[in-house]
Amino acid sequence: QRDATGDALRTDLDADLGWPVTHAVEHLALLVMALPRYPPADVPVDAETVGRLDATLRALAEVAEGRPVPVPPPPPLDALPRTAQAVAALRDVLAELGRARVAAG
């Protein structure tokens, strides 16, 4: 993706307006892949929390694909602050992209 974006940006600075979304998704993916398979006891991630986070991420994926769906708020992730920040960053960049799409007509 970086190579393709780099090539596109050499020819047209507006070629990949979605790169902030790509970056936010990559950041979130790296955090998720770093989570231990069996979290320590001090990281309470129960099935309900995982389900709520999954619902939020699925809705954000729909939004990224251009479908305007309501995005449920993510569950509290106090024990995983970087993950919470990454989810919020993805939500924010998708909202900004949506505003740009509306403004472009």
Side-chain angles (χ1 to χ4, degrees):
Q1 191 276 340
R2 271 185 240 136
D3 292 340
T5 300
D7 289 342
L9 291 177
R10 283 192 197 101
T11 60
D12 180 3
L13 290 178
D14 294 325
D16 188 5
L17 295 177
W19 74 264
V21 175
T22 301
H23 176 72
V25 169
E26 287 176 346
H27 183 70
L28 181 58
L30 290 172
L31 284 169
V32 169
M33 288 188 297
L35 291 174
R37 179 165 168 79
Y38 302 102
D42 64 336
V43 180
V45 181
D46 57 27
E48 179 185 349
T49 299
V50 171
R52 288 179 59 197
L53 181 58
D54 184 61
T56 299
L57 294 176
R58 286 179 186 275
L60 289 171
E62 295 278 333
V63 171
E65 291 176 356
R67 291 188 284 280
V69 299
V71 178
L77 296 170
D78 298 335
L80 302 169
R82 293 183 65 202
T83 301
Q85 289 171 350
V87 171
L90 178 57
R91 181 196 61 224
D92 293 347
V93 76
L94 285 171
E96 185 176 325
L97 180 62
R99 287 188 294 273
R101 285 178 177 161
V102 168

